[in-house]
Amino acid sequence: MLLLRCQLKQAPPQKVSFRFCVVMGKQQSKLKHSTYKYGPDEIIEERIQTKAFQEYSPAHMDTVSVVAALNSDLCVSGGKDKVACIPKSSQFFSASRDRMVMMWDLHGSSQPRQQLCGHAMVVTGLAVSPDSSQLCTGSRDNTLLLWDVVTGQSVERASVSRNVVTHLCWVPREPYILQTSEDKTLRLWDSRGLQVAHMFPAKQHIQTYCEVSVDGHKCISCSNGFGGEGCEATLWDLRQTRNRICEYKGHFQTVASCVFLPRALALMPLIATSSHDCKVKIWNQDTGACLFTLSLDGSGPLTSLAVGDAISLLCASFNRGIHLLRMDHSQGLELQEVAAF
């Protein structure tokens, strides 16, 4: 697990205090190409050179499986880990294949503040409650655990047969937790007793990831797949109807991550998806139309996507570490890679 400064500055790299933290390394400038714009009736592939971007020596020596933004200047990334941040805090949690969950403090020592042990298999989901008082964890052992953040004690446990957890997220201002699973379902859990409050209609493929909108009214889940079969994101209503609203199809391999983009970016609501097909796509949330595609050539499968700030995205990849992407409206909606580290 690494803590990275993701704000671009021209000062030489410096070490930071944590043993598990680094900043970006040697800098190189490169030119990118291969972007896709979408007109009313056709896809136009642009094979033109765009702005130079800054490429630093990789922060990780292996695949980056997850990235999360602490703020506009710092992000946390994990190789085989899952990471969840406490809102407006210097604290964050990590989980890994050793079945442990650890709590870290950015301003504390290099040792974890807490170690939470309770799962029998690899921990694959983490979600922090909106008031930061509780942590929910999920595992390949088919269980969810609810923890008291202050005491580090498990307060609730639930198990559902064949519910191999792939991701967890907490609904803002609500006692509900959203969860995706390898059994192709999306579940909504009530943290008050850790009971299933709603189970959305099963999809045709494994659900890999989920995200809830800031207002808590909608959520997205995404699917694995191959050759364009599956490989989609789905928008759901979290209010009374809890119906499927829209689907976003256009990736050709597993969609590993999906996020709601800040409304400040455009007049219309947008979502972004990243896929094992090396592409990040921007979609009109309401119509399902793909507005822009950025192809990160040579990156390998894209594994995780996170909103950095009002105009930036962080994208983790198999081969090239972490990509810093920026939204640009100077010539219509565009997404550009500005750095890799």
Side-chain angles (χ1 to χ4, degrees):
M1 182 177 64
L2 299 176
L3 180 69
L4 302 165
R5 294 194 180 276
C6 51
Q7 186 177 51
L8 293 181
K9 298 176 181 177
Q10 296 305 314
Q14 299 177 350
K15 293 182 180 179
V16 294
S17 58
F18 288 99
R19 280 185 291 175
F20 56 83
C21 306
V22 300
V23 296
M24 295 179 287
K26 185 178 179 181
Q27 177 180 324
Q28 304 175 47
S29 293
K30 291 191 176 183
L31 293 173
K32 289 298 292 177
H33 57 79
S34 186
T35 63
Y36 303 79
K37 284 188 175 180
Y38 293 79
D41 302 312
E42 60 181 338
I43 300 173
I44 305 170
E45 182 178 357
E46 296 186 329
R47 289 287 179 179
I48 58 174
Q49 289 185 333
T50 57
K51 295 180 180 179
F53 79 106
Q54 308 301 325
E55 185 166 31
Y56 299 82
S57 54
H60 289 265
M61 300 304 294
D62 200 353
T63 297
V64 182
S65 65
V66 65
V67 62
L70 282 171
N71 53 49
S72 61
D73 189 44
L74 290 172
C75 68
V76 185
S77 60
K80 303 292 185 182
D81 307 73
K82 286 279 187 176
V83 177
C85 301
I86 297 179
K88 300 178 182 178
S89 170
S90 63
Q91 297 173 343
F92 55 95
F93 292 89
S94 68
S96 72
R97 296 176 181 271
D98 64 3
R99 301 169 292 176
M100 299 286 292
V101 177
M102 296 187 181
M103 180 180 180
W104 308 85
D105 193 326
L106 177 63
H107 303 306
S109 73
S110 60
Q111 298 301 312
R113 286 190 57 185
Q114 291 181 355
Q115 297 187 53
L116 312 179
C117 182
H119 286 288
M121 297 181 70
V122 55
V123 180
T124 50
L126 291 170
V128 183
S129 64
D131 64 2
S132 306
S133 66
Q134 293 181 307
L135 172 74
C136 186
T137 61
S139 167
R140 295 192 63 85
D141 62 10
N142 305 325
T143 65
L144 269 70
L145 292 175
L146 194 64
W147 306 83
D148 184 301
V149 169
V150 175
T151 66
Q153 298 299 308
S154 174
V155 295
E156 298 285 354
R157 182 184 185 92
S159 181
V160 176
S161 178
R162 293 190 287 185
N163 180 31
V164 178
V165 176
T166 56
H167 191 70
L168 292 168
C169 58
W170 212 295
V171 180
R173 297 176 295 280
E174 297 285 350
Y176 297 112
I177 304 154
L178 198 66
Q179 179 238 318
T180 48
S181 172
E182 286 192 7
D183 67 3
K184 307 176 184 178
T185 61
L186 181 68
R187 290 179 174 86
L188 189 66
W189 294 81
D190 191 332
S191 63
R192 299 164 298 188
L194 208 56
Q195 301 290 324
V196 177
H198 183 73
M199 193 166 170
F200 293 84
K203 300 283 289 178
Q204 295 298 310
H205 296 80
I206 289 172
Q207 299 298 284
T208 57
Y209 191 89
C210 56
E211 180 86 355
V212 180
S213 60
V214 173
D215 59 15
H217 294 167
K218 298 180 179 68
C219 67
I220 328 167
S221 65
C222 47
S223 302
N224 80 338
F226 183 77
E229 184 67 26
C231 315
E232 75 228 7
T234 304
L235 182 69
W236 306 88
D237 191 347
L238 275 179
R239 291 167 291 184
Q240 290 184 352
T241 62
R242 292 177 177 167
N243 292 331
R244 183 176 64 186
I245 301 174
C246 190
E247 287 196 327
Y248 311 92
K249 297 184 177 182
H251 285 291
F252 289 93
Q253 294 186 41
T254 293
V255 180
S257 190
C258 49
V259 294
F260 290 91
L261 296 181
R263 285 301 300 265
L265 287 176
L267 296 176
M268 68 192 80
L270 303 173
I271 68 167
T273 55
S274 63
S275 168
H276 289 186
D277 63 11
C278 307
K279 293 178 173 58
V280 178
K281 289 181 178 287
I282 305 296
W283 310 82
N284 183 316
Q285 178 185 298
D286 295 334
T287 67
C290 185
L291 304 177
F292 193 82
T293 297
L294 174 66
S295 182
L296 297 173
D297 301 327
S299 65
L302 305 181
T303 55
S304 180
L305 200 60
V307 174
D309 56 30
I311 60 170
S312 301
L313 289 172
L314 294 161
C315 183
S317 68
F318 260 54
N319 298 337
R320 290 185 49 237
I322 301 166
H323 309 261
L324 180 62
L325 313 177
R326 289 262 168 83
M327 299 288 291
D328 184 4
H329 292 274
S330 60
Q331 297 180 342
L333 179 64
E334 292 186 355
L335 187 63
Q336 297 177 346
E337 181 180 17
V338 296
F341 47 93

